PDB file of all heavy atoms in Angstrom:
ATOM      1  N   LEU E 262       2.383  26.600   3.793  1.00 98.00           N
ATOM      2  CA  LEU E 262       1.464  26.864   4.897  1.00 98.00           C
ATOM      3  C   LEU E 262       2.227  27.264   6.151  1.00 98.00           C
ATOM      4  O   LEU E 262       1.899  28.249   6.811  1.00 98.00           O
ATOM      5  CB  LEU E 262       0.624  25.612   5.162  1.00 98.00           C
ATOM      6  CG  LEU E 262      -0.288  25.609   6.397  1.00 98.00           C
ATOM      7  CD1 LEU E 262      -1.364  26.666   6.272  1.00 98.00           C
ATOM      8  CD2 LEU E 262      -0.901  24.219   6.593  1.00 98.00           C
ATOM      9  N   ARG E 263       3.270  26.497   6.469  1.00 98.00           N
ATOM     10  CA  ARG E 263       4.039  26.758   7.674  1.00 98.00           C
ATOM     11  C   ARG E 263       4.750  28.119   7.615  1.00 98.00           C
ATOM     12  O   ARG E 263       4.845  28.821   8.626  1.00 98.00           O
ATOM     13  CB  ARG E 263       5.087  25.652   7.865  1.00 98.00           C
ATOM     14  CG  ARG E 263       4.521  24.297   8.253  1.00 98.00           C
ATOM     15  CD  ARG E 263       3.822  24.317   9.590  1.00 98.00           C
ATOM     16  NE  ARG E 263       4.626  25.029  10.566  1.00 98.00           N
ATOM     17  CZ  ARG E 263       4.130  25.681  11.611  1.00 98.00           C
ATOM     18  NH1 ARG E 263       2.831  25.719  11.817  1.00 98.00           N
ATOM     19  NH2 ARG E 263       4.942  26.283  12.454  1.00 98.00           N
ATOM     20  N   LYS E 264       5.244  28.483   6.463  1.00 97.00           N
ATOM     21  CA  LYS E 264       5.935  29.772   6.330  1.00 97.00           C
ATOM     22  C   LYS E 264       5.024  30.923   6.716  1.00 97.00           C
ATOM     23  O   LYS E 264       5.458  31.910   7.314  1.00 97.00           O
ATOM     24  CB  LYS E 264       6.437  29.943   4.889  1.00 97.00           C
ATOM     25  CG  LYS E 264       7.341  31.144   4.694  1.00 97.00           C
ATOM     26  CD  LYS E 264       7.911  31.173   3.284  1.00 97.00           C
ATOM     27  CE  LYS E 264       8.848  32.365   3.102  1.00 97.00           C
ATOM     28  NZ  LYS E 264       9.420  32.405   1.728  1.00 97.00           N
ATOM     29  N   GLY E 265       3.756  30.803   6.398  1.00 98.00           N
ATOM     30  CA  GLY E 265       2.803  31.852   6.736  1.00 98.00           C
ATOM     31  C   GLY E 265       2.378  31.850   8.192  1.00 98.00           C
ATOM     32  O   GLY E 265       1.810  32.840   8.679  1.00 98.00           O
ATOM     33  N   LEU E 266       2.648  30.753   8.905  1.00 98.00           N
ATOM     34  CA  LEU E 266       2.224  30.637  10.296  1.00 98.00           C
ATOM     35  C   LEU E 266       3.322  30.991  11.303  1.00 98.00           C
ATOM     36  O   LEU E 266       3.023  31.373  12.437  1.00 98.00           O
ATOM     37  CB  LEU E 266       1.744  29.204  10.571  1.00 98.00           C
ATOM     38  CG  LEU E 266       0.445  28.783   9.888  1.00 98.00           C
ATOM     39  CD1 LEU E 266       0.189  27.297  10.093  1.00 98.00           C
ATOM     40  CD2 LEU E 266      -0.731  29.602  10.398  1.00 98.00           C
ATOM     41  N   ARG E 267       4.562  30.853  10.898  1.00 98.00           N
ATOM     42  CA  ARG E 267       5.654  31.124  11.834  1.00 98.00           C
ATOM     43  C   ARG E 267       5.682  32.586  12.268  1.00 98.00           C
ATOM     44  O   ARG E 267       5.493  33.477  11.451  1.00 98.00           O
ATOM     45  CB  ARG E 267       7.005  30.823  11.177  1.00 98.00           C
ATOM     46  CG  ARG E 267       7.420  29.392  11.183  1.00 98.00           C
ATOM     47  CD  ARG E 267       8.899  29.338  10.875  1.00 98.00           C
ATOM     48  NE  ARG E 267       9.279  28.131  10.154  1.00 98.00           N
ATOM     49  CZ  ARG E 267      10.381  28.009   9.444  1.00 98.00           C
ATOM     50  NH1 ARG E 267      11.215  29.022   9.329  1.00 98.00           N
ATOM     51  NH2 ARG E 267      10.661  26.884   8.828  1.00 98.00           N
ATOM     52  N   PRO E 268       5.951  32.849  13.553  1.00 98.00           N
ATOM     53  CA  PRO E 268       6.135  34.238  13.983  1.00 98.00           C
ATOM     54  C   PRO E 268       7.420  34.809  13.396  1.00 98.00           C
ATOM     55  O   PRO E 268       8.318  34.063  13.001  1.00 98.00           O
ATOM     56  CB  PRO E 268       6.245  34.120  15.515  1.00 98.00           C
ATOM     57  CG  PRO E 268       6.732  32.732  15.748  1.00 98.00           C
ATOM     58  CD  PRO E 268       6.144  31.882  14.654  1.00 98.00           C
ATOM     59  N   LYS E 269       7.514  36.116  13.315  1.00 96.00           N
ATOM     60  CA  LYS E 269       8.711  36.735  12.740  1.00 96.00           C
ATOM     61  C   LYS E 269       9.931  36.575  13.620  1.00 96.00           C
ATOM     62  O   LYS E 269      11.052  36.512  13.131  1.00 96.00           O
ATOM     63  CB  LYS E 269       8.452  38.234  12.473  1.00 96.00           C
ATOM     64  CG  LYS E 269       7.454  38.483  11.355  1.00 96.00           C
ATOM     65  CD  LYS E 269       7.309  39.964  11.067  1.00 96.00           C
ATOM     66  CE  LYS E 269       6.344  40.194   9.909  1.00 96.00           C
ATOM     67  NZ  LYS E 269       6.196  41.658   9.616  1.00 96.00           N
ATOM     68  N   GLU E 270       9.721  36.495  14.919  1.00 96.00           N
ATOM     69  CA  GLU E 270      10.851  36.431  15.857  1.00 96.00           C
ATOM     70  C   GLU E 270      10.798  35.167  16.679  1.00 96.00           C
ATOM     71  O   GLU E 270       9.739  34.774  17.172  1.00 96.00           O
ATOM     72  CB  GLU E 270      10.859  37.656  16.778  1.00 96.00           C
ATOM     73  CG  GLU E 270      11.053  38.971  16.030  1.00 96.00           C
ATOM     74  CD  GLU E 270      11.142  40.161  16.965  1.00 96.00           C
ATOM     75  OE1 GLU E 270      11.121  39.944  18.210  1.00 96.00           O
ATOM     76  OE2 GLU E 270      11.188  41.288  16.473  1.00 96.00           O
ATOM     77  N   ILE E 271      11.959  34.517  16.842  1.00 96.00           N
ATOM     78  CA  ILE E 271      12.046  33.271  17.588  1.00 96.00           C
ATOM     79  C   ILE E 271      11.810  33.495  19.077  1.00 96.00           C
ATOM     80  O   ILE E 271      11.308  32.631  19.772  1.00 96.00           O
ATOM     81  CB  ILE E 271      13.400  32.576  17.358  1.00 96.00           C
ATOM     82  CG1 ILE E 271      13.430  31.167  17.992  1.00 96.00           C
ATOM     83  CG2 ILE E 271      14.553  33.407  17.874  1.00 96.00           C
ATOM     84  CD1 ILE E 271      12.511  30.174  17.373  1.00 96.00           C
ATOM     85  N   ASN E 272      12.147  34.676  19.575  1.00 84.00           N
ATOM     86  CA  ASN E 272      11.992  34.942  21.009  1.00 84.00           C
ATOM     87  C   ASN E 272      10.796  35.820  21.318  1.00 84.00           C
ATOM     88  O   ASN E 272      10.732  36.451  22.374  1.00 84.00           O
ATOM     89  CB  ASN E 272      13.268  35.587  21.565  1.00 84.00           C
ATOM     90  CG  ASN E 272      14.446  34.616  21.544  1.00 84.00           C
ATOM     91  OD1 ASN E 272      14.293  33.458  21.906  1.00 84.00           O
ATOM     92  ND2 ASN E 272      15.605  35.093  21.120  1.00 84.00           N
ATOM     93  N   SER E 273       9.853  35.866  20.383  1.00 69.00           N
ATOM     94  CA  SER E 273       8.657  36.693  20.615  1.00 69.00           C
ATOM     95  C   SER E 273       7.721  36.023  21.612  1.00 69.00           C
ATOM     96  O   SER E 273       7.762  34.838  21.840  1.00 69.00           O
ATOM     97  CB  SER E 273       7.923  36.910  19.294  1.00 69.00           C
ATOM     98  OG  SER E 273       7.539  35.680  18.725  1.00 69.00           O
TER      99      SER E 273
END
Side-chain angles (χ1 to χ4, degrees):
L262 173 64
R263 290 297 314 152
K264 189 174 181 180
L266 291 172
R267 278 196 212 160
K269 291 184 178 180
E270 297 183 4
I271 188 66
N272 293 316
S273 59

